[in-house]
Amino acid sequence: MSSTSGGQDGTGAPPGTGAPAGAASGLELSLPGGGVFRVVPPEVGVPVIRLWLEHKWPMSVQEGLELRDRLGWQSSPTRETMFTTGHDLGGKDASFIIGEGQMDSFRMGLASRVPKASAPPEAAVLVRQVYAQYVEVLTGLYGTGTTKHFQGRNGPQESTTWTLPSGASLRLGTVGRVLSATVNSPAANRAAEAERRYLAQEAEFPTEPPPRPRTNK
């Protein structure tokens, strides 16, 4: 699928990314009832994505929390693996999931979460434009990803996935006014592939159910 570029330092950070620690101004639209709809631009989002995606794997929970501190993010008081970033999107907009004591996957929102009724029609257009910009930048880093289009409950959806030689993957996805990036660990991808193969094998060679016991009438 693709190959990673550049090297890594001891913390797994790509050289020269200079990930932001504070709030950054993104692309914005005024909301009808007040407030602002923001989309994180690629020059802000991509360096952050690279810090997680190109980290040395496996990544421990402590290493994930150290990345949180390095980025200047704040954990939820009730769940330390849910974060408020400096992207000014409102609320908790990033998190990671733990599997078997290691970081399994990381997800980061790249656009403000606002009710559908509050979002102007231009929001979905803006998100699609920025999605295309992310794909262009990430393709320059990792090569051509795998793009999928499908019709979801909330409208047309599109995603592009890149897999690195390490086995870690990045999925960039959009639907309507939503834009997000998900990094899956090599272990998570191996587990998903094993499950896919198992289900495919079951579909091809279904297990025969045991015979029902005969009853005397």
Side-chain angles (χ1 to χ4, degrees), residues 54-124:
E54 298 182 19
H55 195 280
K56 182 180 177 182
W57 298 96
M59 185 191 305
S60 68
V61 175
Q62 182 57 39
E63 287 173 320
L65 295 177
E66 288 171 358
L67 277 185
R68 171 206 62 187
D69 294 340
R70 179 174 177 179
L71 290 162
W73 295 354
Q74 298 295 318
S75 281
S76 163
T78 57
R79 186 176 172 187
E80 66 177 355
T81 57
M82 292 186 65
F83 315 125
T84 300
T85 70
H87 301 153
D88 202 17
L89 301 180
K92 303 171 186 68
D93 51 350
S95 63
F96 68 76
I97 297 173
I98 301 169
E100 298 185 357
Q102 306 288 342
M103 198 199 82
D104 213 38
S105 65
F106 164 78
R107 183 185 183 280
M108 179 172 68
L110 296 169
S112 298
R113 296 185 65 87
V114 297
K116 186 175 182 179
S118 302
E122 298 84 1

Side-chain angles (χ1 to χ4, degrees), residues 24-199:
S25 176
L27 304 171
E28 302 178 352
L29 290 173
S30 296
L31 298 176
V36 175
F37 176 83
R38 292 186 175 88
V39 183
V40 181
E43 58 265 29
V44 174
V46 169
V48 177
I49 290 170
R50 294 187 68 187
L51 281 173
W52 296 88
L53 178 62
E54 298 182 19
H55 195 280
K56 182 180 177 182
W57 298 96
M59 185 191 305
S60 68
V61 175
Q62 182 57 39
E63 287 173 320
L65 295 177
E66 288 171 358
L67 277 185
R68 171 206 62 187
D69 294 340
R70 179 174 177 179
L71 290 162
W73 295 354
Q74 298 295 318
S75 281
S76 163
T78 57
R79 186 176 172 187
E80 66 177 355
T81 57
M82 292 186 65
F83 315 125
T84 300
T85 70
H87 301 153
D88 202 17
L89 301 180
K92 303 171 186 68
D93 51 350
S95 63
F96 68 76
I97 297 173
I98 301 169
E100 298 185 357
Q102 306 288 342
M103 198 199 82
D104 213 38
S105 65
F106 164 78
R107 183 185 183 280
M108 179 172 68
L110 296 169
S112 298
R113 296 185 65 87
V114 297
K116 186 175 182 179
S118 302
E122 298 84 1
V125 176
L126 176 60
V127 164
R128 288 289 304 179
Q129 292 173 344
V130 179
Y131 168 81
Q133 294 171 12
Y134 270 92
V135 171
E136 181 179 3
V137 173
L138 292 165
T139 297
L141 290 169
Y142 306 123
T144 303
T146 300
T147 299
K148 295 182 179 180
H149 305 263
F150 47 97
Q151 184 67 33
R153 183 178 59 183
N154 297 316
Q157 301 183 32
E158 183 173 333
S159 68
T160 303
T161 301
W162 294 265
T163 301
L164 273 62
S166 67
S169 67
L170 165 65
R171 180 184 180 274
L172 183 74
T174 181
V175 53
R177 66 200 181 282
V178 178
L179 179 63
S180 64
T182 301
V183 172
N184 284 324
S185 69
N189 286 329
R190 287 194 298 269
E193 176 61 17
E195 181 179 20
R196 186 194 66 78
R197 290 182 179 178
Y198 172 78
L199 293 175

